[in-house]
Amino acid sequence: ALARMEGLTLQHYDEGLRWAGHLRALVERLGDPTHEAEYHSVLGFMHGRAGQYEEALAEHQRALRLFQEIHGDQGPEVGRARTSVGGALIALGDHERAQAHLEQGLAELRQALGEKHPLVGTRLNTLGHLQRVRGDYDAAQASLERALEIERLVYGHEHPRVATSMSSLAIALRSLGRLDEAEEVLRESLEILEATTAPDDLGPSYPRTQLAFVLIETGRADEAVEPARLAWEKRRGTTLYPLVAESAFAYAKALVE
C-alpha cells in the first residue's frame, strides 16, 4: 500500500519503486497468488510512469500470467491485466500487439463489469489513443467520445479524469483537421485541471502542450509560447522523456514561427 501511495498517488515513482523492492520479500512469504499478481501490476505501473517501459511490460505480463492461473482466461482481473500489457506495448511501439491486447481485454472487462464501468472508460481512452497513433482517426474519435461519456457519467463534468479524456479527444479532433473544436475542448480541459489539481501536478501540461500545437497550426504562434513554456518547465524535471521532448518541441516551434 505504501509503495502504491508513494509511487502513483504522489508521483514519486523512484521512491515508490524503492519501497516496492522492500515489499517483494513480504509478498513472497505470504504466498498468496492474488497479492503477488497485484504487486506485479502496481510495479508495472510505477515502472511505466518512471519511463522504464521494458520493465513495465515484464511486470504486467507476470501479473497477467498469475491472474490467468487464478481465474482462468476471463474475468475483470484478467481483462485489467491484459489491457495493462497493451498499454506497455504502446509505450514500446508495438502497436499491433497492443491493439490486440486492448481489444480482447476490453471485451473481458465489458462482459464482467458492464459497459459503463469506469475501468472500461479508462481502457477505451487508451484504445482511442492507439487508434489515433495508427491513423484510424474516426475509430479513435468514437472510442474517445465513448470514454468521455462513461467518465462524465461516473465522475461528473468537473473531474481531472474527465479533463484528461477531453484532451485525448481534442488530439483526435486535431488529427481530423477540426482545429476550432480541438481548441475549445482543450481550453475547457485545461480550465478543469487548473481548478482541480495541485500546483505541482503534471496533468495540466497535457492540454497545454496540445493547445500550443493547435495555436501554432492556426497561425497564432505568439499565443502558443506561454502554454508551451509552462508545460515544458513542469515536465523537464521528470523522467517522462517523450513528454518532455513533446513540450520542448512545442515551445521551440512557437518561438521560431
Side-chain angles (χ1 to χ4, degrees):
L2 182 58
R4 177 188 287 272
M5 181 187 72
E6 187 73 27
L8 296 180
T9 306
L10 300 180
Q11 300 180 355
H12 297 164
Y13 307 124
D14 292 338
E15 189 69 10
L17 287 168
R18 185 173 69 82
W19 280 105
H22 295 321
L23 287 171
R24 183 185 295 273
L26 175 60
V27 170
E28 290 174 353
R29 282 201 301 273
L30 288 172
D32 184 323
T34 299
H35 286 156
E36 186 178 356
E38 290 289 355
Y39 169 82
H40 288 296
S41 179
V42 172
L43 198 57
F45 279 113
M46 284 194 287
H47 278 301
R49 297 290 180 87
Q52 300 165 0
Y53 302 125
E54 293 280 2
E55 293 88 342
L57 176 60
E59 295 297 339
H60 285 308
Q61 288 174 327
R62 289 188 187 101
L64 176 58
R65 286 194 296 270
L66 287 165
F67 280 127
Q68 287 173 320
E69 289 173 8
I70 299 165
H71 301 289
D73 206 24
Q74 59 184 346
E77 294 86 358
V78 172
R80 173 167 58 89
R82 198 185 307 278
T83 53
S84 296
V85 171
L89 288 167
I90 291 174
L92 289 168
D94 192 344
H95 294 162
E96 185 173 351
R97 288 177 62 208
Q99 185 154 343
H101 277 78
L102 285 167
E103 289 176 346
Q104 183 177 349
L106 263 168
E108 292 160 349
L109 289 171
R110 283 172 162 141
Q111 182 175 5
L113 302 174
E115 178 64 33
K116 298 179 181 179
H117 193 277
L119 187 56
V120 173
T122 300
R123 296 313 200 243
L124 272 170
N125 207 328
T126 305
L127 177 61
H129 163 74
L130 176 59
Q131 289 166 328
R132 180 188 61 80
V133 169
R134 301 191 77 186
D136 193 353
Y137 302 130
D138 290 330
Q141 182 184 351
S143 295
L144 294 167
E145 285 178 340
R146 181 56 184 149
L148 182 57
E149 180 182 343
I150 294 169
E151 293 187 341
R152 279 176 168 162
L153 182 66
V154 173
Y155 302 110
H157 285 247
E158 305 292 323
H159 192 280
R161 284 183 179 269
V162 171
T164 300
S165 292
M166 291 174 67
S167 296
S168 298
L169 175 59
I171 298 171
L173 293 170
R174 175 188 165 211
S175 298
L176 288 164
R178 293 158 60 179
L179 298 180
D180 290 343
E181 293 174 69
E183 180 180 349
E184 181 180 353
V185 173
L186 285 167
R187 290 190 183 278
E188 186 178 351
S189 169
L190 182 55
E191 183 178 347
I192 294 170
L193 287 170
E194 288 177 334
T196 58
T197 60
D200 62 344
D201 195 279
L202 293 174
S205 299
Y206 185 33
R208 281 191 184 119
T209 302
Q210 300 307 319
L211 178 60
F213 283 124
V214 169
L215 291 170
I216 292 167
E217 289 164 12
T218 53
R220 291 173 289 163
D222 56 331
E223 295 179 39
V225 171
E226 185 64 5
R229 181 187 65 80
L230 289 171
W232 175 67
E233 289 183 349
K234 187 66 66 176
R235 285 173 164 178
R236 66 177 175 172
T238 74
T239 56
L240 303 173
Y241 302 120
L243 299 182
V244 176
E246 179 186 51
S247 294
F249 178 70
Y251 186 30
K253 191 172 178 64
L255 289 172
V256 169
E257 296 211 0

